[in-house]
Amino acid sequence: EHYRATLIDAVRRTARSHRTLAIAVSGGLDSSAVYCIADLLEKEGRLPAPGLQGYTMADMPGSPFYEVPYAL
């Protein structure tokens, strides 16, 4: 519980912006966790940024850089 609270606090503190927060989400655990926490903070009204958007790589299907299936 302590580590979860620490991670949530770290995401909240680094999300300070006057613009929409953009997060690159690859489908891996790290980026997905950060995005999910930011999304939770936004839903709770605790995200300092005025909005949140997630982005992922969308190269040609079959390419190693085609990450769309992991982002859905």
Side-chain angles (χ1 to χ4, degrees), residues 27-52:
L29 294 177
D30 299 348
S31 61
S32 295
V34 170
Y35 182 83
C36 287
I37 290 169
D39 183 57
L40 174 69
L41 291 170
E42 182 181 41
K43 288 176 180 174
E44 293 177 346
R46 298 191 305 143
L47 187 72
L52 173 66

Side-chain angles (χ1 to χ4, degrees), residues 11-63:
V11 171
R12 183 186 59 79
R13 288 173 181 253
T14 57
R16 291 180 303 208
S17 176
H18 67 285
R19 307 279 309 260
T20 298
L21 182 66
I23 297 178
V25 185
S26 67
L29 294 177
D30 299 348
S31 61
S32 295
V34 170
Y35 182 83
C36 287
I37 290 169
D39 183 57
L40 174 69
L41 291 170
E42 182 181 41
K43 288 176 180 174
E44 293 177 346
R46 298 191 305 143
L47 187 72
L52 173 66
Q53 291 185 351
Y55 294 90
T56 192
M57 298 289 285
D59 201 14
M60 298 298 292
S63 158

